[in-house]
Amino acid sequence: MNSVLMAFILTAIAGLSTGIGSCIAFLAKQTNKKFLSVSLGFSAGVMIYVSLVEILAKAKVSLVAEMGERAGNWVVIFAFFAGMLLIAIIDKMIPSEENPHEVKCVEDEEKEIRKTDKLMRMGVFTALAIAIHNFPEGLATFVSAMQEPSVALPIVAAIAIHNIPEGIAVSVPIYQATGSKIKAFRYSFLSGLAEPFGALIGWLILLPIMSDMVYGIIFAGVAGIMVFISFDELLPAAREYGEHHLSLYGLISGMGVMAISLLLFL
């Protein structure tokens, strides 16, 4: 299969996993916090390990080859922290009450719903916040799948797990406001489309200037985005959902799975 098409499909799978969160919101009256804690920790482990061990290393090889040892290393570091800065600015622009990465449970959402008459606004603004936030995530997933197919599947799985709580945050208020599971699922599903859309727009913009140097810069930026998401969102959420050690076990497991998967493709 064409590598661009495969990367786009994998990115779509990761983004549209918000729909899984929507289904969980309808089926579960209580959030399985221990499972979610381990899963989010696992996602963080995958993303941190692959970013620092594989993606950043690949970026360094590309940029040093193109620009020389000194300049290449400086650009790698600059792009890495620029990626962190980009996702931090996007996160800062989203109000905390509508931020999809604030810790939310099914039962907490329903409790909040009983206190407000602005349910539809809450759901729609959360969907919009997710769409904005997922745009760079989509590009990150897409570029990773394009450049390194061997690491694509674990990254897709990590992003997918990361997106499940977002689906809950969108669908519960909209369902309570409208009484329509279909409408709630639709908003949740559409918010996830920002990820493949971000991949497509980013790819179209970058395609004319794509080179080893551009790939290296993007890869370093992608590593920064993933590390920031892990430390700012996934690990704090994992600790809030469950016990401290559960998130740590998930983190170590994610790193171990990523390390083994990389060795299998040597």
Side-chain angles (χ1 to χ4, degrees):
M1 186 183 290
N2 181 281
S3 59
V4 175
L5 178 60
M6 176 58 77
F8 187 77
I9 290 172
L10 290 173
T11 305
I13 291 171
L16 297 179
S17 63
T18 51
I20 299 174
S22 184
C23 293
I24 291 173
F26 300 143
L27 298 173
K29 290 300 180 185
Q30 294 288 324
T31 303
N32 188 333
K33 294 183 179 181
K34 289 186 177 181
F35 175 75
L36 205 49
S37 178
V38 173
S39 297
L40 290 169
F42 182 89
S43 294
V46 168
M47 291 170 70
I48 292 169
Y49 190 91
V50 75
S51 296
L52 298 180
V53 174
E54 184 75 3
I55 295 178
L56 200 60
K58 295 283 185 184
K60 181 177 178 180
V61 169
S62 295
L63 289 170
V64 167
E66 290 287 318
M67 306 176 69
E69 185 76 24
R70 185 176 178 81
N73 276 291
W74 273 106
V75 172
V76 167
I77 297 303
F78 178 81
F80 177 74
F81 286 102
M84 286 188 171
L85 180 62
L86 171 65
I87 201 71
I89 290 171
I90 290 172
D91 215 44
K92 194 71 175 175
M93 289 169 61
I94 300 170
S96 61
E97 62 271 16
E98 271 118 21
N99 194 324
H101 298 114
E102 296 296 314
V103 174
K104 296 178 178 73
C105 300
V106 173
E107 57 271 26
D108 294 337
E109 288 287 279
E110 291 178 343
K111 195 181 298 179
E112 180 66 25
I113 276 157
R114 289 193 287 271
K115 300 176 186 175
T116 180
D117 59 355
K118 299 179 180 178
L119 311 182
M120 196 67 187
R121 179 186 178 276
M122 183 197 302
V124 171
F125 269 82
T126 302
L128 181 61
I130 289 172
I132 294 169
H133 205 284
N134 281 3
F135 195 90
E137 287 179 17
L139 181 58
T141 310
F142 184 83
V143 171
S144 301
M146 274 289 299
Q147 188 75 347
E148 286 296 322
S150 62
V151 303
L153 288 176
I155 290 174
V156 168
I159 293 286
I161 293 169
H162 158 59
N163 284 344
I164 288 173
E166 299 178 358
I168 295 173
V170 174
S171 59
V172 171
I174 290 177
Y175 172 59
Q176 295 291 331
T178 65
S180 170
K181 290 183 179 180
I182 293 175
K183 185 171 286 188
F185 180 81
R186 186 187 304 138
Y187 273 91
S188 176
F189 190 79
L190 289 175
S191 68
L193 281 177
E195 215 143 294
F197 184 72
L200 180 62
I201 296 300
W203 178 249
L204 291 175
I205 292 172
L206 294 170
L207 186 59
I209 59 169
M210 195 56 69
S211 65
D212 286 343
M213 190 171 100
V214 174
Y215 257 128
I217 292 171
I218 293 173
F219 246 41
V222 163
I225 289 171
M226 289 188 172
V227 169
F228 185 91
I229 288 170
S230 298
F231 284 114
D232 183 62
E233 297 162 11
L234 297 182
L235 289 176
R239 291 190 65 181
E240 287 293 322
Y241 276 120
E243 302 166 15
H244 164 71
H245 286 97
L246 287 178
S247 59
L248 182 61
Y249 298 152
L251 174 75
I252 295 169
S253 299
M255 288 184 167
V257 168
M258 194 68 245
I260 292 169
S261 68
L262 290 174
L263 288 174
L264 291 175
F265 286 97
L266 282 178

